[in-house]
Amino acid sequence: MNSRRDFLQKIAGSALALPVLSSFAPRELMQADETPYQGPVLRVAILGLGSYGERVAEAMKDCKRAKLVGVISGTPSKVKTWQAKYGIPEKNCYNYENYDQIKNNPDIDAVYVITPNGLHKEQSIRVAKAGKHVICEKPMAVNAKEAQEMVDACKAAKVKLLIGYRMHFEPKTLEIIRQRKAGEFGKVLFFQGLSGFIIGDPTQWRLNKKLAGGGAMMDIGVYSINGSRYMIGEDPIWVTAQETKNNPQKFKEGVDETIQFQLGFPGGAVASCLSTYSMNNLDRFFLNGDKGFAEMAPSTGYGPIKGRTNKGELEYPHVTHQTVQMDEMSDIILQGKQPIVPVDGEEGLKDMKIVDGIFLAVQTGKKVDLKL
């Protein structure tokens, strides 16, 4: 099946992960540390054992500060397979009917929700009410209303809500952010984000309005939305958008095929972005200032990410995004570490407000003001 996961996996190529780079000091490579890690370890259960769940599980084998200890699935055969593959004890295995009982399991700290978008809200709130920290894959919900309910539920339960923004820990991304903050690009004027691929199987959940909440925008377009914010360093204040649909048989009502959208930022910068399920070779960010530029292509795939600025290529080893993400999220949850780019529920909520604004702009043909 040709899906976003296949698309991102192809981008990854055959590059091997090299020594991990500190996501908080992207210019300094960490030397291999043979000293056993003695600090706290985040014990994680994965809810949803699909292809991306397995990618996360494989990446967590190399984590020092996070460990896969449990699974939640509606497919018993998958549970058995994962038990054998990852050494998961029976007492840490749940199905979709009984995982509220996780509240009685002291051996699980957090649950990573990796299911279709339309299920995120209910499942995340159930996890929160069970007293476990929530890590939810992006987009965090199908609209801002649901996202706000998730934020409120986690606050009420006094648990953390983090969103799976793996690019927020990617070294080349962080180096460009560092350079922009240091003023090396001057006044930021323009951002372009291109996110898209040709999607396959028309029966998959990503083309189901109820499960996906939309089409390409909810799947791949959110990368350009989020990328525009961390590359420019501001939140947008208005949006305009236009939709093109050439295949209404495949892309039903409420499932977008291609959307172009424009964002305006308080400092005067503008962004021009494309989200599509009908074109390949689209994974590029470009940031332009009055003193320099930065380009990333690929910009959001599983790696290796490639980046350059007006000063030349960015040379950093490829790191496995999900390994770094889960170790850093362990530090955020257990040690209160503050990431350079937020990954909390409020960050995800902002993206959902922009998504809502994009869909409204498509429907009305008007500029929509954003209040994030």
Side-chain angles (χ1 to χ4, degrees):
M1 178 182 71
N2 184 1
S3 70
R4 175 166 67 98
R5 308 304 180 201
D6 302 322
F7 163 71
L8 294 172
Q9 190 167 4
K10 288 176 182 176
I11 289 175
S14 59
L16 297 176
L18 297 174
V20 172
L21 199 65
S22 168
S23 66
F24 297 94
R27 292 189 296 173
E28 299 175 6
L29 286 174
M30 295 174 60
Q31 299 299 318
D33 185 2
E34 299 302 327
T35 305
Y37 175 68
Q38 299 294 331
V41 173
L42 184 71
R43 299 165 299 176
V44 179
I46 290 180
L47 191 164
L49 310 184
S51 61
Y52 192 70
E54 186 150 6
R55 180 176 288 276
V56 171
E58 287 296 305
M60 288 186 70
K61 289 179 178 179
D62 295 323
C63 285
K64 289 186 176 181
R65 306 188 295 279
K67 182 180 180 182
L68 174 62
V69 300
V71 293
I72 303 169
S73 175
T75 308
S77 60
K78 285 187 178 180
V79 172
K80 293 299 181 185
T81 299
W82 279 54
Q83 277 189 270
K85 189 172 184 179
Y86 300 108
I88 297 170
E90 184 69 31
K91 67 182 180 64
N92 291 353
C93 297
Y94 300 86
N95 59 46
Y96 291 153
E97 284 71 46
N98 69 9
Y99 69 89
D100 304 277
Q101 297 173 17
I102 203 169
K103 67 182 178 181
N104 301 316
N105 191 332
D107 296 331
I108 296 175
D109 303 311
V111 175
Y112 195 161
V113 178
I114 310 178
T115 52
N117 311 331
L119 305 178
H120 288 178
K121 185 195 81 167
E122 177 193 354
Q123 292 170 338
S124 295
I125 291 175
R126 284 177 67 183
V127 169
K129 287 182 176 179
K132 304 301 180 181
H133 299 294
V134 180
I135 303 171
C136 182
E137 190 49 34
K138 62 188 175 305
M140 67 182 288
V142 299
N143 54 49
K145 180 179 180 295
E146 287 196 358
Q148 185 68 63
E149 290 178 35
M150 293 164 65
V151 169
D152 293 344
C154 288
K155 284 182 178 177
K158 294 181 170 56
V159 299
K160 290 192 182 295
L161 170 60
L162 304 182
I163 311 303
Y165 289 117
R166 59 188 167 82
M167 301 312 299
H168 292 198
F169 307 105
E170 195 282 317
K172 293 175 185 175
T173 301
L174 289 172
E175 172 58 14
I176 289 175
I177 291 171
R178 184 200 67 79
Q179 291 187 29
R180 186 256 301 154
K181 286 182 174 180
E184 296 184 26
F185 307 129
K187 179 178 173 58
V188 175
L189 304 170
F190 177 74
F191 171 82
Q192 182 187 51
L194 304 178
S195 301
F197 65 98
I198 298 175
I199 198 167
D201 182 9
T203 66
Q204 63 180 282
W205 70 263
R206 291 180 184 86
L207 296 177
N208 180 311
K209 174 67 163 69
K210 184 176 180 180
L211 289 176
M217 181 60 62
M218 297 296 291
D219 183 16
I220 197 75
V222 71
Y223 282 99
S224 283
I225 291 172
N226 190 250
S228 72
R229 296 175 52 229
Y230 63 67
M231 293 285 277
I232 291 175
E234 294 180 345
D235 289 331
I237 55 176
W238 58 259
V239 61
T240 54
Q242 308 81 37
E243 180 178 9
T244 302
K245 185 174 289 191
N246 293 318
N247 189 345
Q249 289 74 37
K250 186 173 185 178
F251 303 98
K252 308 295 186 187
E253 181 69 25
V255 179
D256 51 284
E257 177 181 354
T258 299
I259 292 180
Q260 297 176 76
F261 61 96
Q262 303 78 40
L263 300 166
F265 293 80
V270 292
S272 176
C273 302
L274 174 68
S275 165
T276 184
Y277 266 160
S278 292
M279 288 177 266
N280 283 330
N281 309 308
L282 292 176
D283 184 15
R284 178 180 182 267
F285 287 173
F286 180 77
L287 184 73
N288 199 29
D290 62 5
K291 293 182 181 178
F293 72 88
E295 181 181 34
M296 305 184 75
S299 57
T300 61
Y302 292 141
I305 299 299
K306 293 183 179 179
R308 69 184 182 100
T309 73
N310 50 291
K311 295 180 180 179
E313 297 291 325
L314 299 180
E315 301 292 347
Y316 296 116
H318 170 62
V319 298
T320 302
H321 299 170
Q322 295 82 2
T323 303
V324 180
Q325 171 195 325
M326 296 308 294
D327 269 343
E328 295 293 353
M329 285 185 166
S330 172
D331 286 349
I332 292 168
I333 290 173
L334 298 181
Q335 303 193 65
K337 195 170 187 178
Q338 294 298 315
I340 288 176
V341 185
V343 292
D344 55 26
E346 284 80 3
E347 176 78 359
L349 173 59
K350 288 180 179 181
D351 284 344
M352 295 316 304
K353 288 180 178 179
I354 297 171
V355 169
D356 285 356
I358 289 171
F359 288 151
L360 181 59
V362 165
Q363 292 167 5
T364 64
K366 297 178 180 179
K367 178 188 288 187
V368 173
D369 291 331
L370 298 171
K371 294 183 175 130
L372 306 189

